[in-house]
Amino acid sequence: PAVDGLGVEAYVELHCRGTVAPQELKHILAKVPEVVQAGTVSGDADAVVHLRARDIHALEEALEKVRLAPNVEFTKSSIVLSQLINRR
């Protein structure tokens, strides 16, 4: 990931208030350029979001954009320390 200048990445669980349609989540997340992948999931979280940023500060700013979105109650983030397998 550092090759393209986006050396920090995280996976974020997104928890929403009430019921939020997948299309609404897509609309919210599409406005954050650091979001490289997102999907709705089963379990406690409503969605899992993959973020990539140039540094921790940029990651924090992107997370704040996601947290401030309407209907987002809270997020739970895991920063990637090292990639073990990447088959893309």
Side-chain angles (χ1 to χ4, degrees):
V3 171
D4 60 7
L6 303 175
V8 176
E9 60 185 319
Y11 291 92
V12 180
E13 291 183 5
L14 188 64
H15 298 261
C16 298
R17 285 180 218 93
T19 303
V20 179
Q23 278 303 111
E24 186 176 343
L25 284 176
K26 182 178 179 180
H27 179 72
I28 290 166
L29 297 171
K31 295 178 182 178
V32 182
E34 292 84 358
V35 173
V36 295
Q37 191 173 25
T40 56
V41 295
S42 62
D44 293 335
D46 294 292
V48 173
V49 181
H50 183 194
L51 295 168
R52 292 184 61 215
R54 69 181 178 280
D55 55 32
I56 291 293
H57 180 72
L59 178 64
E60 184 176 25
E61 288 179 345
L63 281 169
E64 194 61 24
K65 290 176 195 172
V66 172
R67 286 188 194 118
L68 292 175
N71 297 321
V72 172
E73 187 168 347
F74 69 95
T75 61
K76 185 176 177 182
S77 305
S78 297
I79 296 174
V80 175
L81 299 177
S82 61
Q83 275 194 6
L84 301 177
I85 298 172
N86 184 350
R87 294 193 173 146
R88 289 185 234 187

